[in-house]
């Protein structure tokens, strides 16, 4: 029996006033019954528009059909053909602009909750089906993967399944990339990331942490001295941008990366944590993306009063819809059409406020977005003892600077073939944020998988490297 | 694993450790640093590579016990392993193209200054070392400096060793006496480097200061280590740690360095208690 409800099954979540004081996961996931009920909302359309909305082309109607039939493990196998990180993507994909945006049911009413179903299936597999991975027979060929974010993990996983000896080199002391140092526990439990990493290890992937490629070992050394036949660069876009306004180096001003790294990677939110964090009483977060939402919601959980400052309107916020809604429910305030001019400090060098300017939206620019323009004489200030700058990141120049002949864009992105990930250097591939600039988990994962295919073809001799 | 293979107390608050880290030893250059964690759950702290042995695959660090993490580090013994040890980070000191330099070190900063002095000396650059300490019992590496420089001036705040006075007094005296330096390199407390830079500015001598802001990742990812240099924001871990002393905003750096004072005090008290328990 089809389910004709116009709205999605709600996903159970912790109450806003409780969760904004802890770091436990906010959304709790569907029960079996809810999942089956939601799956029945799918019309099993002939032209499957939803699939076109998914960057890795998961066969969405097929997996949903299995969910409706109660065969969750079969559903998982469908997803796993296209995605290496379903438990992650089901949680963090911006579904509303991808698969769900294309869903036919969304024309009248809400689309099928594809993301929530994907999450349910992946979690079900982890708790019920998770058989140990079997280490494939080795083909004695070595590939090096730089960075352990979604692109690197996906590339390593696919290559390992084909029999390659893969080593992941990670600069930090923990593998996972943004999934461990950026996205907070309450949105993506670290145990889930750890499970993915453990299953890579079962496949025989060797993960070497504390290895800064370009410093500890160079790419040329990997290829020429260490015997790797190809290298995949998945080093992300971790270099934080600042606004270059006055007062940005005052005490109490963080980049979102620093704030989130202290909290997530270094566990500064735990009483026993060895790494310090400034717990402001009034925190201002500048920016409007996922990163800004995460920083704001972390600050809230540390007990602060939090305001997000964004220079356009709510409609333009680049963050995922769910994060914006959750942030609001948790009591985070928004100041839209507001642009920071200067950060003001006290005589001891601590931040005490931020002076801003009111904006209005003008004409659309080349990107099609309306450009915010300042209103003369509208200056005002916001009191804050901690400010988190969350206005974007770009690729870290470290690898570019230490790898001769690796071509990059002016803004730092590595130039790589869109389909294969091949860079200007023979046998060197790249993908994920290092190529595109800050983007999404699913795109990074997809790029890692594509590069794995290309690397395999190159090493096996059927493609130019 | 990063095994500690030697531990030697240089003075009551400064200890030298040699750590097994072959990949880092292979690449290390004077002026670079490592980031370490003593244990799972520990803090990441940067320490300069004081020396290295490429054949044996070891890296030497010299640290002053100032807070929780250095205290925990100091409770470890030969044979123990550090959880994490990553490097070599930062840009190496530029030692080429200089005929005569003065290296001015203060306190534990002398540990950082030593490999730089040694490198200059080995490559035939004339190097004058001016090292300062609060008092006699805090002096470190005096012999090493003496045998690797063409002149060593030892200063102490209280006159208990060497000459009484500040390193800036000694530097000024040398410059006034006609010594011509292509460059002055200064490594030590921020306040000392600030005054050294102010002094050399008067004489128009190029000066490089080795900065030690609070760091986390050491790879350019967090921006926590940022400084203003010539009005521009720079990340000490990747753009430095050495910068033009005449352009650094030292006052800002000094302010930033005490950002976590309260927290650090609390953690240090905890570490003290823990450490005492283990001893008794
Ligand atoms: C706070 C935050 C929230 C986000 N929320 C979402 C979301 O909700 N949904 C979504 O789809 N996307 C989100 N994103 C974006 C998403 O996380 C990234 O697009 C994705 O992680 C990129 O993957 P990657 O593999 O390219 O790189 P990363 O995940 O950045 O991983 C790169 C890894 O490489 C390592 N590395 C870098 N340089 C070196 C080197 N020289 N040697 C060795 N290792 C190196 C880094 O330490 C890091 O571990 C968010 C990002 C952030 C920061
Ligand atoms: C590039 C660089 C090289 C350094 N080399 C040496 C060295 O060779 N020998 C040495 O004794 N010290 C060195 N330091 C300083 C050393 O990192 C700190 O003394 C150490 O982190 C103190 O940690 P703690 O927990 O024991 O003390 P805390 O009580 O945490 O802090 C005491 C002091 O150390 C500073 N500090 C705290 N945490 C950090 C951090 N994560 N990064 C940097 N500074 C911090 C604080 O500003 C404070 O002034 C260096 C610092 C940098 C940035
Ligand atoms: S991976 Fe993302 S876009 Fe694709 S189906 Fe899943 S939630 Fe949708
Ligand atoms: S478009 Fe929507 S309803 Fe149609 S098959 Fe895809 S998920 Fe089902
Ligand atoms: S320590 Fe994080 S950017 Fe320098």
């Amino acid at each position: 029996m089809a389910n004709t409800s116009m709205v999605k099954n709600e996903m159970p979540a912790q109450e806003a006033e409780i969760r904004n004081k802890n770091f436990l996961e906010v959304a709790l996931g569907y029960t079996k019954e809810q999942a089956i009920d939601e799956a029945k909302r799918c019309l099993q359309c002939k032209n499957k528009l939803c699939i076109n909305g998914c960057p890795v082309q998961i066969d969405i109607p097929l997996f949903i059909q299995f969910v409706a039939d109660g065969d969750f493990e079969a559903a998982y196998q469908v997803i796993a053909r296209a995605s290496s990180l379903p438990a992650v993507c089901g949680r963090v994909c911006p579904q509303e602009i991808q698969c769900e945006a294309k869903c036919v049911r969304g024309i009248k009413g809400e689309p099928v909750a594809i993301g929530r179903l994907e999450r349910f299936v992946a979690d079900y597999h982890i708790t019920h089906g998770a058989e140990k991975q079997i280490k494939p027979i080795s083909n004695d060929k070595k590939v090096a993967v730089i960075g352990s974010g979604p692109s690197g993990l996906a590339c390593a996983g696919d290559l390992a399944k084909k029999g390659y000896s893969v080593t992941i080199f990670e600069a930090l002391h923990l593998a996972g990339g943004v999934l461990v140092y950026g996205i907070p526990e309450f949105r993506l439990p670290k145990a889930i990331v750890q499970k993915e990493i453990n299953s890579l290890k079962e496949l025989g992937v060797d993960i070497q942490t504390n290895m800064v490629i370009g410093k500890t070992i160079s790419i040329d050394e990997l290829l020429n001295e260490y015997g790797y036949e190809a290298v995949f660069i998945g080093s992300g876009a971790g270099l934080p941008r600042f606004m270059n306004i006055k007062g940005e180096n005052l005490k109490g001003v963080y980049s979102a990366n620093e704030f989130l790294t202290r909290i997530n990677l270094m566990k500064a939110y735990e009483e026993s944590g060895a790494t310090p964090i400034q717990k402001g009483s009034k925190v201002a977060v500048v920016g409007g993306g996922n990163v800004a939402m995460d920083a704001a919601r972390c600050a809230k959980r540390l007990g602060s009063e939090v305001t997000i400052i964004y220079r356009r309107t709510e409609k333009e916020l680049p963050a995922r819809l769910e994060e914006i809604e959750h942030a609001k429910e948790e009591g985070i305030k928004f100041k839209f059409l507001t642009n920071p001019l200067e950060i003001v400090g006290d005589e001891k060098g601590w931040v005490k406020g931020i002076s801003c300017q009111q904006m209005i939206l003008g004409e659309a620019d080349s990107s099609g977005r309306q450009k915010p323009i300042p209103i003369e004489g509208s200056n005002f200030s916001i009191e804050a003892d901690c400010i988190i700058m969350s206005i974007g990141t770009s690729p870290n120049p470290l690898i570019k600077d230490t790898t001769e002949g690796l071509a990059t864009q002016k803004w730092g992105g590595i130039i790589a073939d869109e389909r294969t990930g091949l860079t200007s250097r023979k046998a060197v591939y790249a993908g994920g944020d290092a190529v595109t600039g800050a983007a999404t988990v699913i795109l990074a994962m997809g790029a890692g998988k594509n590069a794995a295919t290309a690397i395999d073809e190159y090493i096996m001799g059927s493609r130019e490297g | 694993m990063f095994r500690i293979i030697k531990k030697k107390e240089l003075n009551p608050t400064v200890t030298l450790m040699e750590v097994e880290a072959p990949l880092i030893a292979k690449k290390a250059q004077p002026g670079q640093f490592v980031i370490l964690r003593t244990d799972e759950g520990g803090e990441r702290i940067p320490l300069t590579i004081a020396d290295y042995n490429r054949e044996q695959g070891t890296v030497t660090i010299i640290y002053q016990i100032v807070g929780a993490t250095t205290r925990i580090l100091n409770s470890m013994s030969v044979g123990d392993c550090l959880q994490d040890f990553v490097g070599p980070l930062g840009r190496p000191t530029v030692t080429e193209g200089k005929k005569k330099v003065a290296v001015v070190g203060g306190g534990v900063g002398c540990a950082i200054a030593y490999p730089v002095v040694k490198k200059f000396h080995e490559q035939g650059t004339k190097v004058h070392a001016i090292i300062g300490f609060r008092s006699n019992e805090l002096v470190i590496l005096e012999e090493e400096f003496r045998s690797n420089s063409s002149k060593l001036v030892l200063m102490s705040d209280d006159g208990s060793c060497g000459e009484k006075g500040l390193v800036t007094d000694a530097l000024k005296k040398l410059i006034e006496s006609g010594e011509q330096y292509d460059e002055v390199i200064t490594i030590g407390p921020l306040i000392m480097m600030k005054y050294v830079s102010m002094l050399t500015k008067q004489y128009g001598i190029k000066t490089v200061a080795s900065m030690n802001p609070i760091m986390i990742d050491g790879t350019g990812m967090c921006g926590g280590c940022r400084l203003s240099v010539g009005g521009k924001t720079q990340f000490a871990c990747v753009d430095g740690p050495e910068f033009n002393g005449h352009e650094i905003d030292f006052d800002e750096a000094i302010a930033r360095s005490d950002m976590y004072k309260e927290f650090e005090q609390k953690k240090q008290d905890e570490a003290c208690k823990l450490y005492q328990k283990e001893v008794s």
Side-chain angles (χ1 to χ4, degrees):
Chain A
M1 252 288 290
N3 173 350
T4 55
S5 164
M6 294 298 229
V7 292
K8 294 177 180 175
N9 275 276
E10 277 293 328
M11 180 159 51
Q14 276 196 72
E15 285 298 326
E17 278 310 310
I18 294 172
R19 70 178 191 242
N20 69 10
K21 295 173 193 70
N22 68 50
F23 278 80
L24 303 176
E25 190 168 22
V26 167
L28 302 171
Y30 280 158
T31 61
K32 270 191 213 173
E33 293 69 30
Q34 287 166 327
I36 293 173
D37 190 57
E38 182 63 27
K40 287 183 175 160
R41 291 185 63 228
C42 172
L43 304 174
Q44 293 294 323
C45 311
K46 271 224 181 62
N47 36 21
K48 308 176 184 184
L49 290 176
C50 49
I51 299 183
N52 296 333
C54 171
V56 297
Q57 309 259 300
I58 290 177
D59 191 339
I60 295 166
L62 185 62
F63 102 72
I64 293 184
Q65 183 61 56
F66 281 123
V67 177
D69 297 343
D71 190 350
F72 307 130
E73 189 51 35
Y76 178 81
Q77 294 307 330
V78 172
I79 299 174
R81 284 209 298 266
S83 171
S84 325
L85 301 166
V88 176
C89 294
R91 285 176 167 77
V92 305
C93 251
Q95 292 98 4
E96 69 272 14
I97 57 165
Q98 297 182 354
C99 51
E100 294 181 17
K102 297 280 167 67
C103 173
V104 170
R105 295 240 28 190
I107 299 170
K108 257 171 94 189
E110 287 183 345
V112 176
I114 303 170
R116 291 174 188 175
L117 288 172
E118 182 174 328
R119 168 190 164 143
F120 167 80
V121 168
D123 287 358
Y124 183 90
H125 173 78
I126 289 174
T127 39
H128 295 85
E131 75 293 355
K132 242 177 126 70
Q133 297 270 4
I134 299 160
K135 202 175 151 183
I137 298 164
S138 164
N139 66 6
D140 287 329
K141 294 188 179 297
K142 286 167 62 175
V143 178
V145 169
I146 304 170
S148 59
S151 67
L153 295 177
C155 186
D158 278 14
L159 285 167
K161 284 181 193 145
K162 292 186 163 87
Y164 289 88
S165 305
V166 185
T167 309
I168 298 183
F169 295 94
E170 168 55 49
L172 295 172
H173 58 258
L174 198 64
V178 168
L179 308 181
V180 298
Y181 81 69
I183 303 180
E185 176 77 18
F186 57 80
R187 204 147 74 75
L188 178 64
K190 300 309 152 227
I192 288 176
V193 183
Q194 202 47 55
K195 286 233 169 70
E196 299 293 352
I197 288 164
N198 288 347
S199 81
L200 280 190
K201 286 187 181 157
E202 284 165 19
L203 281 171
V205 174
D206 177 26
I207 302 183
Q208 300 267 344
T209 50
N210 295 320
M211 288 283 192
V212 185
I213 300 303
K215 288 286 178 187
T216 318
I217 303 177
S218 71
I219 287 186
D220 286 287
E221 287 169 320
L222 289 174
L223 291 167
N224 304 330
E225 288 174 32
Y226 288 80
Y228 292 98
E229 295 190 38
V231 174
F232 174 77
I233 307 171
S235 53
L239 186 76
R241 261 185 242 138
F242 288 92
M243 291 184 76
N244 298 317
I245 55 176
K246 207 167 155 225
E248 243 173 347
N249 293 350
L250 287 164
K251 282 181 282 185
V253 183
Y254 286 107
S255 75
N257 264 8
E258 180 181 359
F259 190 74
L260 290 168
T261 299
R262 285 179 180 274
I263 290 176
N264 299 317
L265 183 70
M266 307 310 296
K267 301 275 175 271
Y269 65 88
E270 289 171 357
E271 211 23 63
S272 61
T275 301
I277 184 96
Q278 147 97 354
K279 295 180 185 165
S281 65
K282 287 198 169 74
V283 175
V285 179
V286 179
N290 285 324
V291 186
M293 298 302 140
D294 283 344
R297 295 171 72 197
C298 282
K300 183 78 194 178
R301 283 161 172 75
L302 295 177
S304 314
E305 209 179 284
V306 187
T307 307
I308 289 180
I309 298 175
Y310 181 58
R311 62 195 185 120
R312 299 173 201 255
T313 71
E314 175 159 8
K315 220 168 69 224
E316 285 84 22
L317 278 174
R320 293 178 70 218
L321 204 58
E322 187 177 279
E323 307 322 322
I324 300 167
E325 280 166 6
H326 280 159
K328 281 194 192 155
E329 289 164 16
E330 287 166 14
I332 285 156
K333 285 182 251 154
F334 287 80
K335 277 246 169 231
F336 293 113
L337 290 169
T338 300
N339 194 40
L341 292 175
E342 181 185 336
I343 299 171
V344 190
D346 65 15
E347 62 293 338
K348 292 211 175 98
W350 282 98
V351 51
K352 64 175 189 192
I354 180 163
S355 85
C356 302
Q357 198 170 28
Q358 198 68 49
M359 314 293 274
I360 49 165
L361 287 186
E363 280 176 21
D365 63 11
S366 56
S367 72
R369 290 203 302 177
Q370 282 178 286
K371 220 175 132 84
I373 37 184
I375 302 174
E376 278 310 316
S378 64
N379 296 14
F380 63 101
S381 45
I382 297 172
E383 210 186 303
D385 53 2
C386 175
I387 290 174
I388 303 167
M389 304 306 287
S390 178
I391 54 162
T393 54
S394 45
N396 192 319
L398 219 156
I399 287 188
K400 174 195 79 178
D401 292 348
T402 53
T403 312
E404 206 153 323
L406 186 70
T408 56
Q409 316 269 8
K410 267 208 205 76
W411 50 268
I414 297 172
I415 297 174
D417 183 87
E418 217 175 297
R419 213 163 35 85
T420 63
L422 182 63
T423 66
S424 57
R425 282 280 310 263
K426 187 177 155 67
V428 178
Y429 295 74
D433 284 6
V435 169
T436 58
T440 58
V441 171
I442 187 76
L443 285 171
M445 191 209 77
K449 286 180 84 76
N450 290 344
T453 307
I455 288 170
D456 176 47
E457 289 170 0
Y458 159 62
I459 293 179
M460 291 307 165
S462 59
R463 189 198 284 277
E464 285 282 296
Chain B
M1 280 304 267
F2 309 102
R3 193 185 310 277
I4 299 166
I5 57 164
K6 182 173 161 190
K7 182 178 175 187
K8 187 175 150 202
E9 198 176 275
L10 299 184
N11 77 31
T13 64
V14 176
T15 306
L16 173 152
M17 263 184 190
E18 232 175 281
V19 180
E20 236 170 45
L23 290 175
I24 303 176
K26 196 173 149 196
K27 282 287 181 67
Q29 299 284 343
Q32 291 188 297
F33 63 95
V34 293
I35 285 192
L36 63 79
R37 283 200 315 163
T38 51
D39 56 305
E40 188 63 61
E43 189 185 12
R44 293 172 68 98
I45 65 157
L47 292 172
T48 303
I49 297 172
D51 207 348
Y52 45 82
N53 186 323
R54 302 213 203 279
E55 287 74 46
Q56 284 170 24
T58 58
V59 167
T60 304
I61 49 173
I62 297 178
Y63 57 88
Q64 179 160 34
I65 304 158
V66 291
T69 306
T70 42
R71 191 168 294 273
I72 294 165
L73 178 63
N74 204 49
S75 72
M76 299 178 78
S77 336
V78 169
D80 290 348
C81 288
L82 298 169
Q83 180 77 29
D84 300 294
F85 202 70
V86 52
L89 302 171
R91 294 180 196 272
T93 310
V94 181
T95 51
E96 294 83 36
K98 283 148 209 161
K99 285 209 209 60
K100 188 159 145 195
V101 297
V103 176
V104 184
V108 72
C110 293
I112 310 176
Y114 170 64
V116 177
V117 166
K118 188 170 143 196
K119 174 91 187 241
F120 276 125
H121 189 70
E122 278 169 5
Q123 71 182 30
T125 303
K126 250 200 153 108
V127 47
H128 290 179
I130 303 165
I131 55 176
F133 299 91
R134 277 207 312 278
S135 65
N136 192 26
E137 70 274 12
L138 299 176
V139 174
I140 56 170
L141 304 171
E142 186 182 350
E143 268 328 296
E144 285 84 347
F145 274 108
R146 197 175 303 284
S147 49
N148 281 288
S149 59
S150 44
K151 186 192 253 324
L152 174 70
V153 184
L154 175 62
M155 304 294 290
S156 61
D157 292 6
D158 61 359
S160 57
C161 62
E163 282 172 55
K164 184 177 158 116
L166 304 170
V167 287
T168 39
D169 301 336
L171 179 63
K172 186 168 176 164
K173 219 157 119 190
L174 286 169
I175 298 171
E176 293 275 310
S177 75
E179 297 284 359
Q180 301 264 340
Y181 299 117
D182 298 327
E183 188 173 299
V184 170
I185 295 120
T186 178
I187 306 173
L190 287 168
I191 193 76
M192 178 200 98
M193 295 194 284
K194 173 180 166 175
Y195 281 102
V196 168
S197 301
M198 277 163 60
L199 177 74
T200 56
K201 193 161 186 182
Q202 290 167 24
Y203 295 98
I205 306 169
K206 186 178 172 216
T207 298
V208 167
S210 178
M211 302 299 283
N212 51 7
I214 294 174
M215 292 188 177
I216 310 181
D217 57 298
T219 66
M221 184 268 275
C222 74
C225 62
R226 64 195 188 275
L227 305 161
S228 297
V229 183
K232 283 218 308 253
T233 293
Q234 300 266 295
F235 291 1
C237 68
V238 283
D239 302 322
E242 295 178 355
F243 295 99
N244 180 342
H246 299 156
E247 294 189 338
I248 297 167
D249 184 341
F250 279 105
D251 295 332
E252 179 187 277
I254 290 168
R256 282 182 73 78
S257 71
D258 74 7
M259 176 153 175
Y260 298 108
K261 217 173 206 154
E262 252 174 67
F263 180 95
E264 282 157 0
Q265 192 54 51
K266 188 172 136 241
K267 287 290 160 188
Q268 166 150 18
D269 294 346
E270 283 172 22
C272 279
K273 273 194 217 122
L274 190 78
Y275 185 47
Q276 270 159 9
K277 239 185 273 158
E278 271 172 18
V279 172
S280 60

